[in-house]
């Protein structure tokens, strides 16, 4: 479907305008990455006022989520889910694993999530987009919701959040994409109980990071 | 290049025969998975005697490795590398991380490994093949080389080896494919030191697996 620029005078209603913005956003995010794409650039490509995009979406992330056809804004959903953990449950790792698996496997998100992983693995352009999106929003959200950013300096918080990402994305890859039997057949409870403490290691424990003189990674 | 079946009387020399076997093997592994493909079936498709394939390759895995253009037989390489760990180094997790990263990032293997991951993520056929290959050879090799199979019953050993796979493949995905900055820029030493103990948890420690009555997962 080649959307193209609409002919003058055929200005559609709100749903048409949103569709045009979504289409422009997909192209701009793919072309310039999550960092590089701007609301201003997307507005120009969709031939609308930037203020309208702010009005409709509020944030760049919400626009991205809509453009990628995600049914939720990931960082909002993640923040809410992580805030909502059982009283006295100090094991945030298990809660994070449970939350992520429940989201990824929900009817609303499953196909989209696996589709995003597929495109990121096959297209360098999509990889840049997903990498920047994860760095800018997911890692930051996880760092904030888990207290990483209070406990460690920014470089170490980023490194630790990225280690969490290695474990979580590996879980997604083996369970949802490869379907490695023991992981695919395990219950969410089993994975939360067994993988959660590895996540806790990355979030809070001494992870044996070798000293790196002058790197600023340690306090 | 459409190889096709060669005309009778044009039986090529050894290198041509091996190329024909490799081509037949690629097709059979893709069509029937790693389990389902047989030396006999591949021999029939390549129009050679099965004994010749045994003679050239020895094992199904070696044939698979050749068909996938891997410069090494993964389980042999892995067994050798894991056996070769420094005296008194009880931290096999760090050694496993170092060994895997070194292999994956070697000039000989890097493109092939990333290519295998890409195809497994995009093609269900390739996913089945890689999943079965990992289950049949890599997990078994890791279980044997790390003592998993002596320490736990078969079901728990498989589950634990699969948890190791979630962490290791997640590391490969974020470092080699997505290029998440903090993981991509870390040194092999840093990743071995920080991720290794999570692997050790899966191999040897109490991982908090919930009791599963009658599952036989626990001793």
């Amino acid at each position: 479907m080649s959307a193209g620029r609409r002919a003058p005078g055929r200005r559609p209603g709100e749903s048409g305008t949103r569709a045009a913005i979504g289409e422009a956003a997909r192209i701009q995010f793919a072309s310039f990455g999550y960092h590089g794409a701007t609301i201003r650039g997307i507005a120009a490509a969709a031939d609308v006022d930037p203020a309208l995009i702010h009005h409709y979406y509020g944030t760049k992330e919400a626009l991205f989520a809509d453009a990628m056809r995600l049914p939720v804004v990931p960082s909002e959903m993640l923040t809410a889910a992580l805030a909502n953990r059982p009283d006295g449950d100090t094991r945030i790792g298990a809660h994070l694993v449970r939350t992520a698996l429940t989201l990824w496997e929900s009817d609303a998100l499953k196909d989209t999530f696996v589709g995003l992983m597929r495109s990121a693995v096959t297209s360098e352009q999509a990889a840049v987009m997903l990498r920047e999106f994860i760095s800018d929003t997911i890692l930051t959200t996880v760092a904030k919701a888990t207290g990483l950013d209070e406990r460690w300096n920014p470089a170490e918080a980023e490194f630790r959040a990225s280690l969490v990402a290695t474990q979580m994305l590996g879980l997604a890859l083996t369970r949802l994409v490869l379907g490695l039997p023991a992981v695919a057949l395990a219950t969410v409870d089993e994975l939360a109980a067994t993988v959660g403490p590895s996540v806790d290691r990355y979030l809070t424990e001494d992870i044996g990071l070798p000293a790196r003189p002058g790197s600023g990674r340690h306090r």
Side-chain angles (χ1 to χ4, degrees), chain A:
Chain A
M1 196 166 27
S2 80
R5 193 67 64 85
R6 281 175 190 73
R10 279 198 58 231
R11 190 75 266 164
E14 174 173 337
S15 75
T17 306
R18 289 182 79 120
I21 294 170
E23 179 65 20
R26 271 186 290 283
I27 294 170
Q28 299 272 312
F29 281 125
S31 304
F32 302 112
Y34 185 76
H35 282 323
T38 61
I39 302 251
R40 178 172 301 273
I42 291 165
D47 201 13
V48 302
D49 193 291
L52 190 67
I53 298 188
H54 282 292
H55 171 69
Y56 281 157
Y57 299 95
T59 65
K60 185 173 172 179
E61 188 193 355
L63 171 58
F64 178 78
D66 192 68
M68 296 301 126
R69 301 194 172 85
L70 299 177
V72 296
V73 179
S75 69
E76 289 173 11
M77 182 63 130
L78 195 55
T79 302
L82 287 175
N84 195 26
R85 71 177 189 272
D87 271 356
D89 187 354
T90 53
R91 301 176 58 202
I92 196 166
H95 186 60
L96 184 62
V97 171
R98 190 187 314 277
T99 301
L101 287 175
T102 306
L103 273 179
W104 294 339
E105 293 171 8
S106 65
D107 286 344
L109 199 55
K110 185 168 184 179
D111 292 344
T112 313
F113 178 72
V114 171
L116 268 181
M117 283 191 73
R118 279 192 220 286
S119 58
V121 168
T122 42
S123 143
E124 177 57 25
Q125 228 180 19
V128 170
M129 192 174 73
L130 190 63
R131 169 207 312 162
E132 293 179 356
F133 176 69
I134 292 174
S135 290
D136 281 15
T137 65
I138 304 296
L139 298 188
T140 315
T141 302
V142 168
K144 194 167 292 178
T146 59
L148 259 184
D149 62 348
E150 288 164 21
R151 212 174 284 115
W152 314 99
N153 69 40
E156 181 155 356
E158 183 194 350
F159 184 60
R160 286 173 174 267
S162 300
L163 291 179
V164 172
T166 68
Q167 176 61 83
M168 298 304 296
L169 291 176
L171 195 55
L173 176 68
T174 49
R175 182 169 166 98
L176 304 178
V177 180
L178 285 185
L180 209 58
V183 177
L185 297 174
T187 64
V188 170
D189 278 347
E190 287 172 330
L191 293 171
T194 54
V195 175
S198 292
V199 172
D200 286 323
R201 261 198 77 236
Y202 297 143
L203 291 175
T204 56
E205 295 171 28
D206 176 6
I207 52 170
L209 196 60
R212 224 194 206 187
S215 74
R217 181 169 284 166
H218 293 284
R219 278 174 184 285

